[in-house]
């Protein structure tokens, strides 16, 4: 595989002086009616014009001579190179790829919509031109493939897969890091560096969005009720231990069961409970 090699070029301002000399020679040939001088002056001027090369800031020029890679000029400025050389400009600026929304199944098989933005730039101009056919299109296709692979690796959320450490919804930082690493691995052969990759859109597909919203709401309610019950059981257990430890009152198993039932109703109920004062004995 061809790797980039830097090359230097002659200053274009020196060639400008030679161009003026060629034009002067042609003018003198016209004055002296010398066909040879006119021809030499015109050919010299055309050779100089053909070899001019302008490299703008944050750009580069790849030089190819008869199918052979000669090198890359990265320094910006005005230069002159071999007029037979083919000059291909490659931008070194950072570029944004705003990926389209694509529909794909997550790890659990749920259809989701996902999109990502990728910030990339050319690192090796030789690989970008010679290793792939069209490096811009290559970045676009590989980015879409990486996003699809990422979505297949993780679940949208951890409602169904509670053992999942990372989910697409909650692990944005980790998911972005994984996506960036995979893109760098995929685009290395094209001499492309990925500066940043982030998920910009993530949602369930429209056909299941309503059902998934209801499932999320139900799961959230169940989770909240579970915490309430766990807390209530702990409070009941603590109350029984304290009553027994301080020997405040002796309760048989039936009265303990009644007390537990009443406390759970009070602690787990969704509405405020109206207390009833027992004016008689504990057993009446």
């Amino acid at each position: 595989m061809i790797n980039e090699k830097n090359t230097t070029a002659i200053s274009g301002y020196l060639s400008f002086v030679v161009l003026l000399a060629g034009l002067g020679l042609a003018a003198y040939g016209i004055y002296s009616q010398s066909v040879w001088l006119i021809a030499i002056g015109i050919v010299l001027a055309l050779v100089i014009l053909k070899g001019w090369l302008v490299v703008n800031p944050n750009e580069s020029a790849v030089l190819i001579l008869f199918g052979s890679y000669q090198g890359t000029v990265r320094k910006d400025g005005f230069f002159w190179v071999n007029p037979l050389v083919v000059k291909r400009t490659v931008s070194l600026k950072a570029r944004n790829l705003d990926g389209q929304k694509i529909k794909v199944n997550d790890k659990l098989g749920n259809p989701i919509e996902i999109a990502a933005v990728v910030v990339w730039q050319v690192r090796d101009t030789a690989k970008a031109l010679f290793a792939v056919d069209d490096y811009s299109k290559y970045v676009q296709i590989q980015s879409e493939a990486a996003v699809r692979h990422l979505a297949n690796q993780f679940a949208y959320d951890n409602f169904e897969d509670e053992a999942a450490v990372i989910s697409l919804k909650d692990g944005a930082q980790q998911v972005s890091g994984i996506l960036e690493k995979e893109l760098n691995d995929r685009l290395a052969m094209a001499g492309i560096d990925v500066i940043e990759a982030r998920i910009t859109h993530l949602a369930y597909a429209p056909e299941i969005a309503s059902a998934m919203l209801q499932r999320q709401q139900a799961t959230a309610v169940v989770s909240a009720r579970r915490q309430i019950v766990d807390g209530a059981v702990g409070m009941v257990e603590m109350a029984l231990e304290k009553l027994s430890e301080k020997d405040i009152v002796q309760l048989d198993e039936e009265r303990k069961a009644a007390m537990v039932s009443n406390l759970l109703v009070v602690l787990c109920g969704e509405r405020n409970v109206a207390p009833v004062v027992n004016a008689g004995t504990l057993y009446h």
Side-chain angles (χ1 to χ4, degrees):
M1 184 177 292
I2 300 176
N3 294 316
E4 179 183 306
K5 59 181 179 180
N6 291 330
T7 186
T8 57
I10 302 173
S11 173
Y13 299 103
L14 296 177
S15 65
F16 187 75
V17 176
V18 179
L19 173 66
L20 293 178
L23 293 177
L25 185 62
Y28 180 74
I30 295 174
Y31 174 77
S32 62
Q33 297 183 349
S34 173
V35 177
W36 288 105
L37 290 178
I38 296 175
I40 293 173
I42 293 176
V43 170
L44 183 60
L46 291 176
V47 168
I48 294 300
L49 290 173
K50 181 65 175 176
W52 277 356
L53 172 66
V54 177
V55 180
N56 296 317
N58 231 1
E59 289 186 354
S60 64
V62 177
L63 308 181
I64 307 170
L65 179 62
F66 301 129
S68 176
Y69 172 60
Q70 300 298 303
T72 301
V73 179
R74 280 182 170 261
K75 184 178 179 181
D76 57 282
F78 178 42
F79 305 99
W80 185 85
V81 295
N82 187 336
L84 299 178
V85 164
V86 176
K87 303 176 282 288
R88 297 185 63 178
T89 301
V90 178
S91 175
L92 303 177
K93 300 175 183 177
R95 311 187 199 184
N96 282 323
L97 173 64
D98 189 6
Q100 299 296 320
K101 290 188 293 185
I102 58 176
K103 184 182 292 186
V104 62
N105 292 336
D106 67 356
K107 181 181 178 181
L108 302 177
N110 298 318
I112 63 173
E113 290 182 345
I114 188 171
V117 61
V118 179
V119 183
W120 62 278
Q121 66 180 163
V122 175
R123 171 181 49 82
D124 191 308
T125 57
K127 289 182 179 179
L129 286 183
F130 307 129
V132 295
D133 185 42
D134 184 341
Y135 63 89
S136 295
K137 191 172 182 179
Y138 183 80
V139 171
Q140 180 181 354
I141 294 175
Q142 291 299 324
S143 297
E144 181 177 335
V147 171
R148 288 183 179 275
H149 182 251
L150 179 75
N152 294 145
Q153 282 185 297
F154 303 102
Y156 179 88
D157 52 39
N158 60 357
F159 284 130
E160 290 182 274
D161 188 5
E162 296 184 356
V165 179
I166 301 176
S167 65
L168 295 174
K169 180 182 177 182
D170 300 324
Q173 193 70 27
Q174 298 93 324
V175 168
S176 297
I178 294 171
L179 177 60
E180 183 177 329
K181 182 180 182 304
E182 180 170 352
L183 281 172
N184 274 314
D185 293 339
R186 287 173 176 263
L187 301 178
M189 68 170 295
I192 305 296
D193 272 344
V194 176
I195 302 173
E196 184 181 12
R198 291 191 177 277
I199 302 298
T200 56
H201 175 80
L202 181 64
Y204 282 113
E207 59 267 25
I208 67 166
S210 178
M212 287 301 177
L213 178 60
Q214 294 178 358
R215 188 203 67 174
Q216 290 177 0
Q217 292 174 342
T219 304
V221 170
V222 171
S223 178
R225 301 302 296 177
R226 181 184 296 116
Q227 293 184 0
I228 292 174
V229 171
D230 290 342
V233 170
M235 295 178 67
V236 169
E237 182 181 6
M238 181 179 63
L240 292 175
E241 289 180 355
K242 290 293 184 181
L243 289 173
S244 176
E245 178 183 346
K246 296 184 178 296
D247 197 18
I248 297 176
V249 62
Q250 297 294 331
L251 299 175
D252 56 22
E253 295 302 321
E254 183 181 353
R255 297 305 171 185
K256 285 183 181 181
M259 177 181 176
V260 169
S261 175
N262 292 335
L263 286 175
L264 288 178
V265 170
V266 171
L267 296 174
C268 297
E270 295 183 359
R271 298 180 180 179
N272 294 330
V273 179
V276 177
V277 178
N278 184 8
T281 64
L282 185 62
Y283 296 94
H284 294 88

